[in-house]
Amino acid sequence: MNQYTGNKLPLVQRVNQVLLAIVLIIGILYFGRIFLIPLTFAILFSMLMLPICKYFDRKGLHRGLCVLILFISFCIIAAIITLQVLSFSQDLPEIKEKGDQLLTVIQGFTQEHFNISSERQTALMKKQMGNAGELVGSLVTGFFSSIAGLLTGIVLILVYTFLLLYNKERYEAFFLKIFQNQEDD
């Protein structure tokens, strides 16, 4: 005779199911992050833009204007960041000059306290700079790949936001049907 009657599972099986569900959820989130992260931001932005879209709907304007406003906001933020980077790059000669002055002071201190000549310090620095060149190359490559990923993510967010706002009635009807069927069960 079966000792497990009804739908009750033994504790071990329930724990295994919960652990399997956790592993599957983590796996889906990890491997789907390329899609899910921009989608999450698009959902947030579409919720933020919803009052503006409702206003445009009442006035009879096109919903694409909501996404256009969001795109213009992104462009303004990008322009501000670009201006700050350009401002920093204009200050680079001053920064280099102060760095050279600091290097001279450090070399004098090292020579005075540790009796290491300036020529030996320069030779050690050139040796280290050779190793740093490879590091800088990998950092620059990583920087540009990060920028490309960021721009791709922004484009995906804008596209997802546009699609979410443009077809919001269809999504609403879809979710209402799903949850209505669950309530009936």
Side-chain angles (χ1 to χ4, degrees), residues 109-148:
F109 177 82
T110 306
Q111 187 173 4
E112 184 179 317
H113 287 82
F114 298 108
N115 292 328
I116 299 175
S117 67
S118 297
E119 295 80 23
R120 178 148 164 85
Q121 290 179 34
T122 305
L124 287 171
M125 287 180 60
K126 284 183 181 179
K127 182 180 175 187
Q128 292 300 320
M129 289 304 224
N131 296 339
E134 297 171 6
L135 177 65
V136 168
S138 65
L139 288 176
V140 168
T141 303
F143 173 75
F144 283 117
S145 66
S146 296
I147 293 295

Side-chain angles (χ1 to χ4, degrees), residues 50-67:
L50 191 60
I52 296 171
C53 286
K54 285 183 179 180
Y55 174 77
F56 285 162
D57 285 345
R58 283 194 305 265
K59 297 293 182 182
L61 298 171
H62 195 269
R63 288 186 186 167
L65 291 175
C66 295
V67 177

Side-chain angles (χ1 to χ4, degrees), residues 75-92:
C75 289
I76 289 171
I77 292 170
I80 291 171
I81 291 171
T82 303
L83 289 174
Q84 291 298 317
V85 169
L86 289 175
S87 174
F88 176 75
S89 66
Q90 290 174 352
D91 293 339
L92 280 178

